[in-house]
């Protein structure tokens, strides 16, 4: 369903050129949930944005359901959609929830707007009372639910998620993660989840790839992650550092290039 | 048992808003010795406001009341603004979340550290260099002359810490000091804080939303919700927390090594907010 | 709370219109708190009412000359504000002049604001050579002081109130383009724009439905604050004889005509001057109040 081969993304030119993504290869089967883990500067978000069609400067192959994400193909909106990190920035401040959810239908010329909007709202656990609210009348968790509902309006096959719960309170995070799992099963979605949080990836994904400085360090399935038996030293360090503060661990941290 | 460094009794902070007064902190009490106290809570729990109240760094229209608020025996409620200024930055320091917003963008970082040192003059620059070394910055000479936008997040935060510890305060309040950092950088920054706090016998208040981090780094933990303290516990006993809010929070966190299909969600009991 | 107020302020509006009206009402409540802004609004409303009902409010025919009664002081012989050098009633000319002032202000805003908005959002969103070309054109217009440029246009087009309006509009749009462009650049990389692109929205739709609504707030504030300047520019042109032509009762032209008598019959020039000051101030106060309410960063 998702196919990425020899993906390279470079920002800037000449001496200041930064290779944000370096020869990345991975593929995700239909219905699978794949995680991209890494710290800042690892290139995970850049790779995701390439698949979203938001970053045109890449070389290599990147395709969703066989359609390359390069040429602004009109089939893409119905194939792949994205949920962004900051719920406070992903909803247009002057559009009501109803407007935000009807937009994709109107753009794509899909009818039956009213009932679809209502169904989408109830699918994400928000009742009709929320339909005509503005974003500033919604909490962070509610906004993220709207963003998820919006991403599913066009019934995409693939859902891209960029740190969907990082900006949310801990207690809300669990609700959103549960919601995402439920929706994935209900719609047989293929998910590509980017996060710096290994616990979230472990909970949500079947397989994952660890990225550092633009390259994939290691690919593994979640069972291996849970058993905490990674192959690479970088991954091991990441796992140890995720477990809370420990003097020994902190003293032995090394920068990998 | 030595005299506690900080004593807070029945702290209440209220903000006037167009829709009525907002009670951000509703009767928080705790005391702090030369130890590490973590204050954990979600957004809106009042944890940051509590931290700033100690330094009386609230906006002018905020109302602060307490039965007792004293630092090293000195009453902070009746202290004059001159006295508070003398305390802030030299005996009590505050490290905040994002160095992007707390470092002066038009001043070199070394100079900012030198400014914070208590005895100004020739020795200040040397002190600043020492501090840069203490926070494990490898080439302090070069970094001294950099501007804040030229340093990475982790280094910026270490510079903040250097700046806040340069005057050798007795109490350090750290408000989400590592939340904006990568997890490996977080470890390194915490290790530095760990060493500095232990070496100087400082008191540390560590404010965060990250329950696991606070439990592993601090000696004692306060859990706040809705402006109140729900639970106070030794860090090592946090998993045996009795308050349903703390338990609910701990249960709802995803963990690497568990494979629960669905995460239990926190059920908020309105009784927790009652007076 | 009465039911319609409850309906507007409800947390759960049942239709788009109810939601929109609710937002408007909340904005109004916030605006109301600023007493000076409300004063400004009232004066502007008064201006509109006076302009609309001029024939009923004026006591005399503004064009009727009576040389036997020229330069009468305020209060004399039924002329509340005196007469000018041709014996025409100042009060009535003031009232009819309100129509002209209002017309100038509304037409200039209606011409300049949309041009500025379109140019600015297109330049900001499309970038590249479109941005460069549009901004250089804007720079050319901005380089001239507005009165001088208006003078040049009027000199080219010929004197008259319509040409004065066109001239002022042509000098008024560049700042709006700049503002719209700056706002657009700030928001063009927002996530909600990215979402629209991923949904297949075309550029025109994104500009119209996503970007322009966010620029409108700053623009409305700027236009309102500019109205004082527009009135003054029109008055300046009128003063120089290049705007409204006699016998039109334009306030600036009235000041110009009254110049000669300012020492002995001060009211002829001063009263229209006071009217201009009051209306300009009112627009400024209104604009300030609107800015506090409409600042999109607050919502």
């Amino acid at each position: 369903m998702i196919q990425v081969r020899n993906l390279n993304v470079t920002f800037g030119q000449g001496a200041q050129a930064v290779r944000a993504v370096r020869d990345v290869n991975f593929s995700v089967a239909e219905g699978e949930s794949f995680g991209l883990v890494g710290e800042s500067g690892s290139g995970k978000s850049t790779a995701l944005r390439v698949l979203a069609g938001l970053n045109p400067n890449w070389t290599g192959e990147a395709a969703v359901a066989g359609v390359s994400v390069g040429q602004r193909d009109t089939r893409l909106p119905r194939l792949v959609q994205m949920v962004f990190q900051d719920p406070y920035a992903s909803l247009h401040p002057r559009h009501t929830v109803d407007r935000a959810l009807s937009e994709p239908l109107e753009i794509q010329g899909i009818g039956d707007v009213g009932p679809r909007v209502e169904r989408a709202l109830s699918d994400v656990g928000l009742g009709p009372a929320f339909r005509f609210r503005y974003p500033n009348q919604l909490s962070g968790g509610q906004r993220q639910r709207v963003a998820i509902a919006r991403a599913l309006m066009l019934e995409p096959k693939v859902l891209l998620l960029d740190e969907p719960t990082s900006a949310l309170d801990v207690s809300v995070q669990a609700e959103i993660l549960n919601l995402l799992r439920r929706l994935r099963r209900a719609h047989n979605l293929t998910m590509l989840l980017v996060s710096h949080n290994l616990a979230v990836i472990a909970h949500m994904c079947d397989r994952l790839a660890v990225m550092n400085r633009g390259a994939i360090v290691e690919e593994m399935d979640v069972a291996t992650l849970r058993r905490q038996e990674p192959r690479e030293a970088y991954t091991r360090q990441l796992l140890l550092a995720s477990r809370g503060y420990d003097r020994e661990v902190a003293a032995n941290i090394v920068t990998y290039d | 048992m030595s005299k506690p460094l900080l004593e807070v009794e029945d702290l209440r902070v209220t903000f006037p808003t167009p829709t009525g007064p907002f009670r951000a902190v509703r009767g928080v009490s705790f005391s702090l010795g030369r130890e590490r106290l973590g204050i954990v809570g979600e957004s809106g729990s009042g944890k940051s406001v509590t931290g700033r109240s100690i330094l009386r760094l609230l906006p002018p229209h905020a109302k602060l009341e307490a039965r007792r608020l004293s630092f090293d025996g000195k009453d902070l409620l009746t202290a004059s603004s001159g006295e508070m200024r003398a305390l802030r930055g030299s005996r009590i320091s505050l490290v905040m979340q994002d160095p992007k917003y707390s470092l002066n963008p038009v001043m070199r970082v070394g100079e900012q550290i030198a400014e914070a040192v208590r005895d100004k003059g020739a020795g200040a620059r040397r002190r600043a260099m020492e501090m840069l070394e203490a926070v494990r910055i490898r080439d302090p000479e070069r970094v001294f002359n950099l501007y804040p936008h030229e340093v990475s997040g982790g280094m910026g935060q270490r510079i903040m810490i250097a700046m806040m510890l340069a005057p050798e305060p007795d109490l350090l309040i750290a408000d989400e000091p590592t939340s904006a950092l990568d997890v490996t950088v977080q470890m390194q920054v915490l290790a530095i804080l760990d060493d500095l706090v232990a070496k100087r016998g400082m008191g540390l208040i560590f404010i965060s939303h990250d329950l696991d981090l606070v439990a592993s780094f601090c000696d004692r933990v306060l859990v706040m919700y809705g402006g109140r303290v729900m639970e106070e516990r030794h860090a090592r006993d946090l998993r045996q927390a009795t308050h349903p809010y703390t338990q609910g929070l701990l249960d709802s966190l995803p963990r690497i090594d568990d494979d629960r299909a669905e995460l239990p969600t926190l059920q908020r009991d309105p009784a927790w907010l009652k007076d | 709370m009465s039911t319609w107020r409850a309906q507007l302020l409800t947390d759960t509006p049942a239709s788009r219109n109810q939601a929109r009206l609710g937002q408007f009402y909340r904005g109004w409540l916030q605006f109301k708190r600023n007493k000076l802004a409300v004063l400004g609004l009232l004066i502007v409303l008064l201006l509109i009412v006076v302009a609309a009902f001029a024939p009923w409010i004026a006591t005399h025919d503004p064009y009727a000359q009576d040389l036997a009664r020229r330069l009468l002081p305020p209060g004399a012989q039924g002329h509340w504000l005196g007469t000018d050098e041709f014996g025409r009633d100042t009060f009535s000319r003031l009232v009819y002049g309100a129509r002209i002032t209002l017309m100038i202000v509304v037409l200039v805003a209606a011409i300049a604001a949309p041009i500025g908005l379109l140019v600015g959002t297109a330049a900001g969103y499309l970038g590249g050579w479109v941005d460069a070309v549009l901004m250089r054109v804007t720079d050319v217009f901005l380089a001239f002081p507005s009165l001088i440029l208006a003078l040049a246009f009027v000199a080219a087009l010929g004197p008259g109130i319509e040409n004065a309006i066109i001239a002022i509009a042509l000098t008024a749009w560049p700042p709006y383009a700049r503002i719209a462009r700056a706002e657009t650049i700030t928001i063009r990389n927002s996530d909600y724009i990215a979402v629209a692109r991923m949904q297949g929205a075309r550029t025109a739709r994104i500009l119209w439905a996503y970007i322009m609504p966010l620029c409108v707030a700053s623009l409305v504030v700027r236009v309102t604050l500019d109205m004082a300047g527009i009135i003054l520019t029109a008055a300046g042109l009128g003063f120089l004889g290049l705007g409204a032509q006699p016998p039109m009762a334009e306030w600036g032209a009235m000041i110009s005509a009254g110049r000669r008598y300012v020492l002995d019959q001060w009211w002829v020039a001063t009263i229209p001057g006071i009217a201009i000051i009051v209306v300009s101030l009112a627009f400024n106060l209104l604009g300030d109040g609107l800015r506090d309410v409409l600042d999109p960063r607050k919502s």
Side-chain angles (χ1 to χ4, degrees):
Chain A
M1 184 57 61
I2 302 178
Q3 194 86 279
V4 172
R5 243 187 254 309
N6 296 326
L7 182 67
N8 275 283
V9 180
T10 308
F11 291 121
Q13 281 155 350
Q16 271 93 4
V18 171
R19 293 188 65 193
V21 177
R22 291 189 271 167
D23 293 322
V24 161
N25 295 286
F26 65 89
S27 55
V28 183
E30 186 171 357
E32 200 181 11
S33 173
F34 191 83
L36 278 179
V37 183
E39 305 195 287
S40 47
S42 58
K44 57 191 195 300
S45 289
T46 311
L48 195 73
R49 288 181 79 93
V50 165
L51 282 168
L54 295 173
N55 188 336
N57 306 322
W58 53 273
T59 58
E61 263 177 60
V64 172
V67 177
S68 170
V69 297
Q71 293 102 330
R72 300 183 70 181
D73 195 306
T74 49
R75 288 172 288 174
L76 284 172
R78 306 259 211 146
L79 288 173
V80 55
Q81 287 293 329
M82 185 156 156
V83 175
F84 290 82
Q85 174 173 1
D86 187 355
Y88 292 89
S90 68
L91 298 180
H92 192 289
R94 296 268 195 270
H95 290 174
T96 54
V97 170
D98 176 76
R99 176 88 187 263
L101 297 179
S102 335
E103 272 291 293
L105 300 176
E106 283 170 16
I107 293 172
Q108 291 288 324
I110 300 175
D112 207 26
V113 173
R116 278 177 195 261
V117 167
E118 284 179 354
R119 213 170 29 233
L121 272 178
S122 71
D123 266 356
V124 297
L126 293 174
F130 289 87
R131 187 167 166 190
F132 294 100
R133 285 202 194 175
Y134 284 93
N136 63 6
Q137 297 168 292
L138 301 172
S139 70
Q142 289 162 346
R143 289 187 204 210
Q144 202 64 318
R145 287 175 194 263
V146 172
I148 294 170
R150 175 179 60 183
L152 296 176
M153 289 309 287
L154 293 177
E155 295 174 2
K157 294 233 186 336
V158 173
L159 191 60
L160 305 174
L161 299 127
D162 189 0
E163 310 259 16
T165 55
S166 305
L168 301 174
D169 275 333
V170 167
S171 59
V172 178
Q173 182 176 253
E175 292 169 13
I176 300 294
L177 290 178
N178 287 345
L179 174 67
L180 285 170
R181 280 182 71 124
R182 184 164 57 76
L183 289 171
R184 177 192 160 197
R185 265 197 317 271
H187 298 263
N188 194 29
L189 290 170
T190 307
M191 277 171 55
L192 181 57
L193 175 67
V194 157
S195 180
H196 64 277
N197 186 326
L198 280 170
V200 167
I201 297 270
H203 182 72
M204 297 291 298
C205 304
D206 306 318
R207 278 169 49 229
L208 63 135
V210 179
M211 287 181 74
N212 182 31
R213 308 278 172 137
I216 291 189
V217 167
E218 185 172 359
E219 229 183 272
M220 61 173 95
D221 56 34
V222 153
T224 313
L225 182 70
R226 290 224 184 93
R227 283 193 309 265
Q228 312 210 21
E229 297 168 354
R231 231 179 31 231
E232 300 291 323
Y234 178 77
T235 319
R236 229 187 329 263
Q237 177 171 278
L238 205 58
L239 265 170
L240 286 174
S242 306
R243 284 216 297 243
Y245 179 68
D246 181 302
R247 289 196 72 132
E248 287 290 316
V249 172
N252 293 324
I253 287 188
V254 167
T255 311
Y256 290 84
D257 270 321
Chain B
M1 178 60 187
S2 56
K3 187 176 58 172
L5 196 54
L6 180 71
E7 283 177 87
V8 178
E9 214 176 297
D10 199 31
L11 178 68
R12 291 171 190 277
V13 180
T14 311
F15 292 97
T17 70
T19 45
F22 172 62
R23 292 153 62 210
V25 180
R26 306 177 199 208
V28 166
S29 305
F30 63 91
S31 67
L32 177 78
R34 303 217 172 240
E35 62 181 319
R36 286 177 262 181
L37 176 72
I39 303 185
V40 181
E42 299 178 289
S43 51
S45 57
K47 57 190 194 301
S48 287
V49 176
T50 303
R52 277 156 216 254
S53 305
I54 296 169
L55 279 168
R56 301 248 313 264
L57 273 180
L58 298 171
H61 54 268
K63 201 162 65 138
L64 189 160
E65 303 163 302
R67 220 174 10 237
R68 202 183 157 138
L69 183 66
S70 71
F71 170 72
D72 202 15
K74 181 164 179 47
D75 184 12
L76 296 179
L77 286 170
T78 55
S80 70
S81 45
E83 289 169 322
M84 283 311 300
R85 257 202 309 273
L87 280 178
R88 285 184 207 127
S90 59
R91 294 199 67 202
I92 311 179
S93 268
L94 176 64
V95 175
M96 288 174 286
Q97 175 168 350
D98 204 331
K100 260 204 315 268
Y101 301 118
S102 359
L103 289 174
N104 186 337
V106 297
M107 212 165 134
R108 295 181 204 272
V109 300
E111 284 161 17
Q112 295 189 49
I113 302 175
E115 251 203 355
V117 169
R118 265 196 248 198
D119 310 304
K120 321 282 184 203
R125 194 194 149 95
R126 196 175 31 84
R127 263 309 272 135
M129 289 291 184
E130 280 170 15
M131 286 312 302
L132 283 174
E133 279 166 9
V135 295
R136 305 203 204 138
I137 286 179
R138 256 163 306 176
D139 36 3
E141 289 287 345
R142 185 185 69 90
V143 173
F144 189 97
N145 289 317
L146 291 177
Y147 284 98
H149 68 267
E150 295 174 312
V151 302
S152 69
M155 203 183 278
Q157 201 58 318
R158 282 184 276 169
I159 291 168
M160 268 292 309
I161 293 173
M163 200 159 93
M164 289 302 144
L165 292 179
E168 302 196 344
D170 296 301
L171 171 63
L172 180 67
I173 303 176
D175 191 353
E176 306 266 17
T178 55
S179 306
L181 304 175
D182 282 331
V183 83
T184 47
V185 179
Q186 200 175 59
M187 290 286 111
Q188 293 172 310
V189 168
L190 286 176
I192 292 168
L193 263 182
D194 192 0
D195 277 346
L196 291 172
V197 167
K199 212 164 26 184
R200 290 153 201 249
M202 279 183 344
L204 171 69
I205 297 182
F206 192 96
I207 301 173
S208 174
H209 65 277
D210 190 336
L211 211 52
D212 282 343
L213 189 68
V214 168
S216 55
F217 185 70
C218 301
D219 304 316
R220 275 193 304 136
V221 177
L222 280 178
V223 178
M224 280 186 74
Y225 175 72
R228 281 206 199 79
V229 175
M230 296 282 121
E231 183 127 32
E232 193 178 326
R233 213 152 257 282
H234 278 292
R236 56 176 179 269
D237 299 329
L238 195 61
R239 296 294 169 102
Q240 286 88 38
T242 53
H243 196 284
Y245 176 69
T246 320
Q247 281 174 336
L249 224 51
L250 284 167
D251 283 343
S252 70
L253 284 172
R255 292 178 196 288
I256 297 178
D257 44 3
D258 87 74
D259 58 353
R260 293 173 288 180
E262 198 168 297
L263 296 169
T265 52
L266 180 67
Q267 301 302 322
R268 279 168 221 274
D269 186 346
W272 298 338
L273 288 174
K274 278 216 188 48
D275 270 318
Chain C
M1 225 196 300
S2 64
T3 48
W4 60 260
R5 199 179 130 101
Q7 268 202 318
L8 284 174
L9 289 176
T10 177
D11 257 348
T12 60
S15 73
R16 278 200 198 181
N17 285 329
Q18 192 182 356
R20 275 210 202 99
L21 285 173
Q23 287 289 74
F24 184 77
Y25 185 64
R26 280 198 187 88
W28 164 246
L29 287 176
Q30 192 182 349
F31 179 83
K32 239 181 16 166
R33 267 182 252 139
N34 183 342
K35 300 293 178 227
L36 282 177
V38 174
L39 177 65
L41 179 65
L42 287 175
I43 295 176
V44 170
L45 288 175
L46 184 65
L47 179 74
I48 296 174
V49 163
V50 165
F53 294 103
W56 292 274
I57 297 178
T59 50
H60 299 75
D61 179 347
Y63 301 111
Q65 298 184 10
D66 186 348
L67 292 170
R69 286 170 161 186
R70 55 196 295 273
L71 299 172
L72 290 174
Q77 300 184 32
H79 294 279
W80 295 348
L81 292 175
T83 58
D84 68 359
E85 71 279 13
F86 288 110
R88 297 177 292 206
D89 178 40
T90 307
F91 175 72
S92 307
R93 284 178 70 76
L94 204 67
V95 165
Y96 274 86
R99 284 192 164 182
I100 299 175
T101 302
L102 203 59
M103 177 176 75
I104 294 173
V105 144
V106 165
L107 283 179
V108 168
I111 296 173
I115 294 179
L117 187 60
L118 203 57
V119 169
T121 52
Y125 188 71
L126 297 169
W129 63 265
V130 174
D131 184 15
V133 165
L134 288 176
M135 279 302 106
R136 297 298 79 77
V137 169
T138 312
D139 284 343
V140 165
F141 280 87
L142 264 176
F144 292 91
S146 55
L147 190 58
I148 308 288
L149 197 57
L151 271 175
F153 276 117
V154 166
L157 299 166
I161 191 77
E162 302 83 6
N163 293 338
I165 289 174
I166 293 174
I168 299 174
L170 283 172
T171 60
W173 72 265
Y176 305 152
R178 279 266 183 102
I179 292 175
R181 177 177 178 272
E183 292 267 1
T184 305
I185 289 181
T186 308
I187 54 186
R188 73 178 168 191
N189 291 318
S190 298
D191 290 344
Y192 48 80
I193 303 284
V195 167
R197 278 164 50 203
M198 283 184 79
Q199 290 168 349
R202 293 229 179 78
T203 303
R205 189 188 185 101
I206 292 182
L207 284 179
W208 174 255
Y210 290 77
I211 297 191
M212 284 192 194
L214 290 170
C215 297
V216 159
S218 322
L219 223 59
V220 162
V221 171
R222 181 63 196 252
V223 167
T224 313
L225 290 173
D226 272 359
M227 293 214 162
I230 293 171
I231 294 172
L232 291 170
T233 306
L237 288 175
F239 185 81
L240 293 169
L242 292 169
Q245 295 298 296
M248 271 191 123
E250 197 259 319
W251 294 346
M254 288 164 71
I255 299 180
S256 173
R259 247 185 316 153
R260 265 176 289 158
Y261 312 98
V262 77
L263 286 176
D264 296 314
Q265 290 89 19
W266 54 268
W267 55 89
V268 184
T270 313
I271 288 174
I274 293 176
I276 293 179
I277 292 175
V278 167
V279 171
S280 301
L281 184 62
F283 274 113
N284 273 327
L285 293 174
L286 178 61
D288 267 347
L290 282 178
R291 192 211 332 257
D292 289 338
V293 171
L294 287 177
D295 187 342
R297 270 155 277 278
K298 281 195 185 163
S299 46

